[in-house]
Amino acid sequence: MIDPLKKLKDKKKLANIDAIGHVTGKSTYVDDIPTMQGTLFIKIFDSPVAHGKIKTVDFSEAEQMPGVVKIFSKKDIPGENQIGGIIQDEPLLADDEVHFRGQAILLIVAESEVEAEEALEKIKIDIEELPAIVDPKEAFLKGQFLSNSRTFQLGDSKKAFESATYIFEGSADSGGQEHLYLETQGAYAYPMEHGSIKIHSSTQGPTQVQKAIARVLGVGMNKVEVDVTRIGGGFGGKEDQANPFAAMTALVAWVLKKPAKCILHRMEDMRMTGKRHPYRSDYKIGLDKNLKIVAYEAAFFQNGGAAADLSPAVLERTLFHATNSYFIPNVVLQAHCCKTNLPPNTAFRGFGGPQGMFVIEAAIDHAARILNVNASDIQQNNLLKDGDEFPYGQIVEDGEAKNSWNELGEKYDIEKIRTSINSYNLPTGQAGNKNTFSKKGMALMPICFGISFTNTMMNHARALVHIYTDGTVGVSTGAIEMGQGVNTKMVQVAAREFGIAPELIKLETTNTTRVANTSPSAASATADLNGKALLDACQQIKNRLIKMIQEVYQLEESAPIIFKNEKITIAKNGKEIPWHQVVTDAFSKRINLSAKGHYATPRINFNKETGKGHPFAYHVYGTALFTATVDCLRGIYEIDEVHIVHDVGETINELVDLGQIEGGLVQGIGWMTMEEIIFNQKGKLLSNALSTYKIPDIYAAPKTINTSFLPLRADNLAIYKSKAVGEPPLMYGIGAYFAIRNAVHAFNPNANFEYVSPITPERVLMALYCK
Ligand code: MTE
Ligand code: HPA
Ligand code: MOS
């Protein structure tokens, strides 16, 4: 067996510390925690209609069912029946009106899950159904909003359009996306002494869970301890939406003074939780005769669902990324947070950025098609360079848009690929045509993604480090491991600072009593924020050890002391002291071997009123090249090759970063091509299981993915210059959409089809034969 902790010569290749546990099934998740005697099980009775007034709910029969302990309604909530984060518009259990199918109304608590399920069937509800809205433009027209509309503006687009040579207008709609984390939402809670409660929650945001529970129970946050070992994927779906299920579980445990557990089944999870926001958008793009984009206007209609959740923040990030990697001097971007009768949509990898980027790419494709040029010519011609201004006022520094594009061009002969695709695609009837019913397409996709929570206040973190007297180290941070490898990176930080082997370091669970007031693990910033807080803690202890050595060996303060290979070396005389020796010496001298570190991202700021500032610590760039083949009889397609040049800064872990790039890419391809969320007009989720909602499997993944890392050119604010990698690669997936589209146009040059994603085989087939 491969030992994942085996010290590889190249530390950058340290395997994910969870790898063996995951493949052998030893890694534990909430549902694996052995249940205590007397544990109660919760089933949620949720709304069968998307909008309605509850007239009566009769659970008298359900209450009499075997094993049933209690049925909870909003009346049983001791504190506030409210879990809204940004806006206070979300009851934990429904009030008199329900606003989406899947909204929790009652909690059935029984001695077993089966008994709770059987009782659920006996509940009778009488609801007066009200009209439901599922489309954001309809909500917009009816004045249904979750929060204020927003505008970002740069230059004078009105004037710029007057002098533009070419102007194109259209619309582009992108669909939602189901998170489909392997571990569904769930929690396990039990009462503790002194009126407190402990809960294991599958959450990206333990502090958010703690807050929601304290509020619902009407107690202080200090009475609520949240503990997370790891989660089986989050992808944004557990940034906020673990809260209700944790709060329900805590409520039951608190009121009944018994351990309680709630784990959603897959179909319940799909029905009750929000997804990536579908967007409908209108664009207007203006170019001069040299294909410079001189003006861009866009209006985004976000389908927010029935409660705000994180929608206002997601909406804002759409605006931040609406011009992707391009400099456009005159811009007006408007965004509307529309209220519909769907489950509240929420964070999903990219956090609104992908939805904004899809629209500018559609606008560029539109212009290219009519002007009969390659979209890549327009893309390349407008890439950001240092000194350019983003519509939100930040100035490009150490930009890598052109570098990543050029590096891709040097590695792969783009014109040669284009020529071979063109000859493959020779029109029917033309000499040499061989592929009448098979066409290929290619597309380039540059990305630019800002790193930091757009809410400046959230960009700080803490960490706690203990060195035990035997020289082993325990590390607690606010980071949640969700498969992205952040714990492995944290081990690397501590190992590097103390100069000791990763085997000597243990990553503790993420726990609100050890590290408090955490931001959720999100915005791709987890390793930066927690890693730098950890660095601070390690350095504090190191400085104490250095001071001790200086005193013992009577060295001057500037004498270099090196921590490496489990030894502390005094550079001047080459004296080496083993790590564990230094630790025992320090302890016997009563030196503190524990430290709490803190980090707050410097420099960032953003003024929501003016829409200007410097919100991001840095940006992540990259460029991808896609080729795809479309079967023109059946409408099915394959992504043949993806070549990526990605800006990782200077990676601290190649394998983890590569995994994030490939995983993000395939998730992005899924969103753009095959993952189709369908609600009917009455707000009922039709794609409600894995039989009707298709995500990419190994056969749908590109046949080839070549990823290379762009060499580091400048310092940055990332942990050890290793840039955030979690979300940006998802947006490469947009390239798959345009590669497929271009193949369709090779078959049917007059195909007149809207920019609608996902570009499913059904849509492709219609487009292949449309006029
Ligand atoms: N990778 C895996 N395997 N599982 C996940 O849930 N979430 C993504 C990304 N990569 C996710 C993932 C999202 S939405 C974010 S914001 C980042 O990881 C969060 O982790 P980071 O801040 O450590 O990159
Ligand atoms: N990204 C991800 N999650 C967030 C953000 C963000 O910018 N702001 C608040 N939650
Ligand atoms: Mo990620 S969408 O910021 O959890």
Side-chain angles (χ1 to χ4, degrees):
M1 208 200 290
I2 307 164
D3 179 358
L5 287 180
K6 199 175 84 192
K7 248 187 295 174
L8 296 170
K9 252 207 219 111
D10 183 356
K11 290 253 170 49
K12 289 187 175 174
K13 291 206 167 124
L14 178 71
N16 191 317
I17 58 169
D18 273 345
I20 297 288
H22 284 4
V23 297
T24 55
K26 286 186 181 136
S27 303
T28 59
Y29 300 87
V30 174
D31 204 17
D32 299 321
I33 300 169
T35 47
M36 285 178 252
Q37 209 165 28
T39 294
L40 301 174
F41 296 83
I42 303 169
K43 277 275 147 195
I44 301 164
F45 176 74
D46 59 308
S47 175
V49 302
H51 191 198
K53 275 209 168 64
I54 301 177
K55 287 159 77 182
T56 56
V57 200
D58 177 4
F59 51 82
S60 50
E61 193 187 344
E63 240 173 357
Q64 300 308 315
M65 292 288 289
V68 172
V69 177
K70 182 176 166 66
I71 295 182
F72 283 71
S73 73
K74 63 165 184 177
K75 296 191 196 85
D76 298 295
I77 294 175
E80 261 184 277
N81 181 24
Q82 180 54 244
I83 55 159
I86 301 177
I87 294 169
Q88 311 316 309
D89 65 353
E90 195 176 351
L92 179 68
L93 295 176
D95 284 319
D96 303 332
E97 202 169 312
V98 284
H99 298 275
F100 64 94
R101 277 183 83 110
Q103 184 176 354
I105 301 173
L106 302 171
L107 305 177
I108 293 80
V109 183
E111 284 158 7
S112 72
E113 206 180 352
V114 176
E115 287 165 320
E117 260 163 23
E118 280 167 0
L120 193 68
E121 306 290 318
K122 305 290 179 195
I123 291 171
K124 298 183 196 77
I125 188 161
D126 183 10
I127 299 190
E128 176 195 338
E129 221 174 319
L130 299 169
I133 300 177
V134 295
D135 180 90
K137 279 194 175 169
E138 182 187 345
F140 176 82
L141 293 173
K142 292 186 170 155
Q144 292 292 309
F145 299 105
L146 293 163
S147 67
N148 293 338
S149 296
R150 300 286 301 274
T151 303
F152 278 17
Q153 202 160 348
L154 180 70
D156 185 345
S157 63
K158 196 161 172 273
K159 219 166 112 201
F161 274 119
E162 279 165 18
S163 58
T165 315
Y166 310 109
I167 297 175
F168 303 96
E169 284 182 78
S171 60
D173 299 345
S174 59
Q177 188 174 23
E178 167 60 46
H179 299 87
L180 225 86
Y181 23 66
L182 282 176
E183 182 192 24
T184 54
Q185 303 274 6
Y188 186 37
Y190 36 93
M192 305 280 280
E193 283 188 17
H194 304 301
S196 64
I197 189 160
K198 180 163 177 175
I199 183 155
H200 303 273
S201 159
S202 183
T203 179
Q204 291 173 243
T207 296
Q208 253 59 36
V209 162
Q210 183 189 22
K211 263 191 195 149
I213 292 174
R215 194 168 177 192
V216 166
L217 300 184
V219 301
M221 282 169 73
N222 62 350
K223 292 283 172 69
V224 184
E225 174 183 347
V226 183
D227 191 272
V228 184
T229 301
R230 67 168 65 70
I231 66 176
F235 305 111
K238 296 169 182 168
E239 180 172 340
D240 234 30
Q241 298 211 351
N243 301 358
F245 307 103
M248 290 170 199
T249 311
L251 170 68
V252 169
W254 178 264
V255 171
L256 297 176
K257 310 257 175 295
K258 287 263 180 83
K261 181 167 171 173
C262 177
I263 308 278
L264 297 193
H265 287 194
R266 179 63 65 187
M267 286 174 80
E268 292 170 333
D269 191 303
M270 291 177 84
R271 179 172 82 231
M272 294 178 190
T273 64
K275 303 157 200 327
R276 182 188 292 286
H277 295 80
Y279 273 59
R280 300 192 60 193
S281 313
D282 299 322
Y283 62 81
K284 180 174 171 186
I285 190 169
L287 300 96
D288 71 10
K289 60 179 188 328
N290 301 317
L291 302 182
K292 280 270 181 226
I293 306 173
V294 293
Y296 181 61
E297 289 180 359
F300 300 99
F301 303 86
Q302 179 197 49
N303 191 335
D309 190 271
L310 292 164
S311 296
V314 171
L315 188 82
E316 196 177 43
R317 206 178 257 280
T318 300
L319 295 179
F320 282 116
H321 297 310
T323 53
N324 191 13
S325 304
Y326 311 112
F327 173 61
I328 310 180
N330 303 290
V331 175
V332 179
L333 307 164
Q334 287 179 309
H336 310 288
C337 194
C338 306
K339 182 176 179 189
T340 60
N341 297 105
L342 301 183
N345 287 318
T346 193
F348 198 132
R349 209 170 192 171
F351 207 72
Q355 291 94 321
M357 285 157 67
F358 175 64
V359 180
I360 181 78
E361 295 301 330
I364 290 173
D365 183 82
H366 180 173
R369 193 153 305 287
I370 309 266
L371 297 175
N372 202 20
V373 298
N374 296 317
S376 59
D377 294 340
I378 301 178
Q379 291 173 312
Q380 186 177 12
N381 212 16
N382 291 280
L383 291 172
L384 290 161
K385 61 176 190 318
D386 286 359
D388 285 345
E389 185 176 348
F390 287 102
Y392 45 91
Q394 187 160 340
I395 305 297
V396 179
E397 290 169 45
D398 305 316
E400 299 285 4
K402 287 180 185 235
N403 290 334
S404 64
W405 183 287
N406 294 340
E407 182 109 352
L408 187 95
E410 275 163 34
K411 283 203 148 66
Y412 309 96
D413 189 337
I414 298 174
E415 284 323 304
K416 197 169 152 201
I417 295 171
R418 198 186 302 283
T419 311
S420 81
I421 286 182
N422 287 344
S423 64
Y424 184 94
N425 286 345
L426 285 177
T428 315
Q430 188 165 326
N433 163 277
K434 291 193 292 285
N435 305 302
T436 308
F437 288 106
S438 172
K439 297 293 171 199
K440 285 187 185 289
M442 68 180 274
L444 279 106
M445 182 64 201
I447 59 157
C448 167
F449 194 78
I451 301 301
S452 289
F453 286 97
T454 55
N455 181 357
T456 303
M457 186 216 112
M458 294 172 78
N459 295 286
H460 60 130
R462 280 144 301 278
L464 174 66
V465 175
H466 300 310
I467 303 178
Y468 294 95
T469 51
D470 64 355
T472 59
V473 177
V475 170
S476 298
T477 74
I480 297 291
E481 174 60 49
M482 59 188 107
Q484 89 280 39
V486 70
N487 279 359
T488 305
K489 289 185 174 178
M490 294 305 102
V491 165
Q492 288 183 281
V493 170
R496 182 153 153 179
E497 286 312 305
F498 292 138
I500 59 177
E503 290 92 325
L504 294 184
I505 294 154
K506 162 140 187 280
L507 242 287
E508 306 292 354
T509 62
T510 313
N511 184 297
T512 51
T513 65
R514 267 178 274 118
V515 179
N517 307 326
T518 60
S519 286
S521 287
S524 304
T526 316
D528 281 359
L529 295 172
N530 292 277
K532 289 205 166 187
L534 174 56
L535 196 69
D536 177 41
C538 293
Q539 283 172 349
Q540 289 176 40
I541 303 177
K542 249 174 101 168
N543 287 339
R544 292 176 209 145
L545 298 177
I546 290 173
K547 195 159 163 257
M548 175 189 81
I549 293 167
Q550 284 167 344
E551 279 168 15
V552 171
Y553 296 92
Q554 295 176 353
L555 306 168
E556 68 271 28
E557 265 185 38
S558 57
I561 290 172
I562 299 148
F563 288 65
K564 214 176 164 185
N565 299 335
E566 270 106 67
K567 287 191 284 277
I568 281 91
T569 308
I570 302 168
K572 198 173 72 176
N573 55 16
K575 178 156 180 61
E576 291 180 342
I577 319 156
W579 164 255
H580 71 263
Q581 174 86 52
V582 174
V583 170
T584 13
D585 289 353
F587 186 72
S588 57
K589 286 181 186 301
R590 298 185 295 169
I591 288 169
N592 182 0
L593 292 175
S594 299
K596 191 105 203 202
H598 173 79
Y599 175 73
T601 314
R603 207 177 162 198
I604 50 173
N605 64 80
F606 185 68
N607 182 331
K608 276 198 193 306
E609 304 306 316
T610 60
K612 300 285 176 190
H614 186 101
F616 299 118
Y618 57 88
H619 290 82
V620 169
Y621 299 84
T623 305
L625 169 65
F626 285 78
T627 58
T629 307
V630 170
D631 172 335
C632 302
L633 278 176
R634 294 183 286 179
I636 58 176
Y637 46 73
E638 280 184 11
I639 309 299
D640 301 321
E641 287 192 315
V642 186
H643 305 302
I644 297 174
V645 173
H646 188 78
D647 165 30
V648 287
E650 187 176 271
T651 180
I652 49 171
N653 195 315
E654 280 180 34
L655 294 173
V656 166
D657 286 355
L658 192 61
Q660 286 294 292
I661 295 167
E662 293 183 350
L665 166 74
V666 174
Q667 196 167 36
I669 293 175
W671 170 53
M672 278 281 112
T673 64
M674 62 202 292
E675 296 184 40
E676 188 171 34
I677 291 192
I678 304 176
F679 284 95
N680 71 9
Q681 287 306 309
K682 293 185 107 189
K684 180 180 184 183
L685 180 66
L686 302 180
S687 50
N688 64 350
L690 282 165
S691 51
T692 42
Y693 185 74
K694 178 85 181 121
I695 67 160
D697 54 18
I698 192 63
Y699 304 104
K703 286 204 281 289
T704 304
I705 305 174
N706 292 317
T707 302
S708 37
F709 296 160
L710 192 66
L712 181 80
R713 264 170 263 253
D715 199 0
N716 59 50
L717 284 172
I719 178 74
Y720 298 132
K721 302 178 197 160
S722 181
K723 284 190 174 181
V725 69
E727 294 166 285
L730 181 129
M731 284 150 270
Y732 290 133
I734 296 169
Y737 177 93
F738 290 98
I740 293 168
R741 233 187 127 91
N742 288 337
V744 171
H745 278 293
F747 180 80
N748 179 4
N750 301 320
N752 178 17
F753 67 121
E754 310 260 284
Y755 293 100
V756 174
S757 67
I759 189 162
T760 55
E762 291 88 336
R763 288 212 171 93
V764 169
L765 193 61
M766 297 300 283
L768 286 166
Y769 296 96
C770 77
K771 296 237 166 40

